[in-house]
Amino acid sequence: MKGIVFTEFLDLVENKFGLEMVDKIISASHLESEGIYTSVGTYKFSEMLQLLQHLSVNTNIKIDDLLLVYAEHFFSVLKDSYPGLIATYKDPIEMLASIEDHIHVEVRKIYPDAELPTFEVLEKTDNTLVMIYKSSRAMHHFGLGLMNKTFEHFNSTATIELEKIKEDGTEVKFLINKN
């Protein structure tokens, strides 16, 4: 997992819960990196999972809810870091439908070894989108948060439903209806 995901996560934790919480979740975890991350480094997903689990325990917030809030934060990081990429789109459905064929292609140019989820578009109209998310990391709520912020970015709203295809969350169907 790319370091920017870790550095931004810890920034969010510090902003929302304080530096003491950052120290607490790093200290409680058994991290090969010892909690020292650079945005361009690559780290094991198990480290993110430990940080999330310890944050969840210490805040009484479910991991899925933490991922949702984190994704909303991360969208602003992407928007600020890669404004040209988002500016190529005029509509949230268009942008979300292009995750696999455009956005992830661009991400791989910057981070060739990035391990990204896959998004398969099953159905697309001007106001609806049905996609299948697949990832061994089961971070579909992170994807949901990014989708929510995409609609907000375009001053639009949507109803987004999740249907777990696999109970462990490694395969999920997103049903998106623009309001």
Side-chain angles (χ1 to χ4, degrees):
M1 183 169 259
K2 296 313 296 177
I4 190 171
V5 177
F6 287 88
T7 58
E8 290 300 331
F9 176 73
L10 293 177
D11 282 351
L12 174 70
V13 172
E14 182 178 350
N15 291 336
K16 296 265 186 209
F17 304 105
L19 193 53
E20 232 177 76
M21 182 64 75
V22 172
D23 194 45
K24 194 173 194 175
I25 65 172
I26 288 173
S27 296
S29 302
H30 301 288
L31 307 172
E32 192 176 301
S33 70
E34 298 180 357
I36 302 166
Y37 303 105
T38 64
S39 60
V40 294
T42 301
Y43 307 93
K44 292 181 178 176
F45 174 64
S46 62
E47 292 197 18
M48 177 57 71
L49 198 54
Q50 288 181 67
L51 294 170
L52 279 164
Q53 288 167 338
H54 288 112
L55 183 60
S56 177
V57 165
N58 283 286
T59 60
N60 291 317
I61 301 171
K62 294 178 187 172
I63 289 177
D64 283 347
D65 293 335
L66 291 170
L67 284 171
L68 199 63
V69 170
Y70 176 46
E72 292 174 354
H73 164 80
F74 202 74
F75 184 88
S76 62
V77 171
L78 295 173
K79 190 168 84 171
D80 294 344
S81 301
Y82 309 102
L85 183 62
I86 294 173
T88 61
Y89 298 99
K90 305 291 181 246
D91 175 81
I93 297 282
E94 175 191 1
M95 184 172 158
L96 294 175
S98 72
I99 292 171
E100 197 64 35
D101 296 330
H102 181 237
I103 295 171
H104 280 177
V105 170
E106 295 301 316
V107 169
R108 282 191 182 91
K109 288 178 185 175
I110 300 163
Y111 303 108
D113 59 342
E115 296 175 37
L116 303 170
T118 60
F119 289 88
E120 177 188 354
V121 175
L122 298 182
E123 181 183 319
K124 178 185 175 282
T125 69
D126 288 344
N127 295 310
T128 64
L129 182 63
V130 179
M131 294 191 301
I132 301 291
Y133 158 96
K134 292 180 185 177
S135 173
S136 61
R137 296 185 173 126
M139 291 179 60
H140 49 276
H141 273 78
F142 186 78
L144 177 61
L146 290 172
M147 290 176 192
N148 288 336
K149 289 305 269 189
T150 299
F151 278 92
E152 187 179 303
H153 172 77
F154 288 101
N155 297 313
S156 186
T157 59
T159 303
I160 304 174
E161 296 177 38
L162 301 175
E163 287 180 10
K164 284 187 179 177
I165 295 170
K166 292 189 176 175
E167 194 54 43
D168 64 359
T170 57
E171 197 169 327
V172 174
K173 183 187 285 186
F174 283 96
L175 303 131
I176 304 165
N177 289 295
K178 191 174 172 182
N179 298 333

